[in-house]
Structure formats: C-alpha cells, structure tokens
Amino acid sequence: MNPTLPRTVRAVDTAQLLDLAQEAAMHGFSQRLPVDWLREHLAAEATHYLFPTLVQRLTHRPEVPLQWRCQQLLTVSTGEQIWGLLDVLPDTFDKIPETLDTASKKDIVNRIEQAVKVREWMERTAADAGS
C-alpha cells in the first residue's frame, strides 16, 4: 500500500534545495537536476517551493526507496521562476517545516502551473547568450 501523498507546498532555501538534490542523486532518483547546474543557476538568497504530485515507486528497481515526485518552483539568478521536478524521500519531505498559509500555497501552485519549464528556460538563455 502506498503512503498518502501530502497535499501541501513546502518552502526551502537554496542550501536546502541543494541538499535535497544531492540526496536524490545519491539514491539515483530519475527526476532531479544536477547539483552543479542548480548551484550555477539558482538565486543564492531565493526561496524555492516543492509540491508533491505523485507517489513514485520503481518496481523494476526494488533497491530504490519510494519517493514523492514534486513539482518545484525555482527562482534562478535572473529573478525568473521556472518549473522543474524533484524526487524526494517522504521522510525528508516531512522534515521540511510547514511555513506557508493556505492562500500562499494556492498562489504557488498557480505560479507552478504558469511557469516556464527548466528546459525551455535553458534553451532561451542559451539562444540569448548566442545573439
């Protein structure tokens, strides 16, 4: 039986997000951005947001623990907010303090739905750098 996916949004700073990405890499989770990429592109003093949307269990890889697949709203160094995915261990997610009120959570979910995807942002910034 799958554990119940939390219907909440959690806020993390850049250092916490880098730790989460490092943990995802250590476990070989498929949805994560490279830690070095995050370190290079995230705004250092920003707040980022995680919204669990899927219980991820890799039945073909039983050694990989169950995880929450989270949509993430990342603030990059240009000040823009972009959309990505990050797989997080349930216990790790549960340890992130609940700091947002209901209205803020709804606003963040709406911004996630409108945000440019990481890939699109990367393509655009690469094209801008080339012109």
Side-chain angles (χ1 to χ4, degrees):
M1 181 169 144
N2 282 341
T4 304
L5 188 69
R7 301 308 299 165
T8 189
V9 175
R10 299 281 167 88
V12 296
D13 64 21
T14 297
Q16 290 171 300
L17 189 71
L18 292 171
D19 289 345
L20 292 170
Q22 187 64 47
E23 182 178 72
M26 183 182 72
H27 287 289
F29 294 165
S30 59
Q31 290 301 320
R32 59 186 167 79
L33 292 164
V35 174
D36 290 341
W37 187 92
L38 291 167
R39 198 173 282 118
E40 179 182 345
H41 294 288
L42 292 182
E45 302 301 319
T47 300
H48 315 282
Y49 303 96
L50 300 170
F51 177 50
T53 55
L54 176 75
V55 175
Q56 177 72 357
R57 184 186 307 270
L58 302 178
T59 54
H60 65 289
R61 291 178 56 203
E63 74 283 2
V64 176
L66 179 133
Q67 63 238 223
W68 302 145
R69 175 142 307 154
C70 297
Q71 294 181 38
Q72 54 184 350
L73 186 63
L74 305 170
T75 302
V76 292
S77 56
T78 61
E80 296 169 272
Q81 290 187 311
I82 62 175
W83 179 94
L85 292 171
L86 178 64
D87 291 341
V88 178
L89 291 170
D91 286 346
T92 300
F93 186 86
D94 290 343
K95 290 175 186 167
I96 301 169
E98 187 78 60
T99 58
L100 302 167
D101 62 28
T102 302
S104 296
K105 291 176 187 179
K106 287 180 181 177
D107 175 61
I108 291 161
V109 170
N110 287 335
R111 287 189 298 177
I112 288 172
E113 291 170 356
Q114 304 299 317
V116 171
K117 291 179 176 57
V118 169
R119 178 185 44 78
E120 294 166 350
W121 181 81
M122 289 172 53
E123 289 171 356
R124 189 184 75 227
T125 54
D128 290 348
S131 44

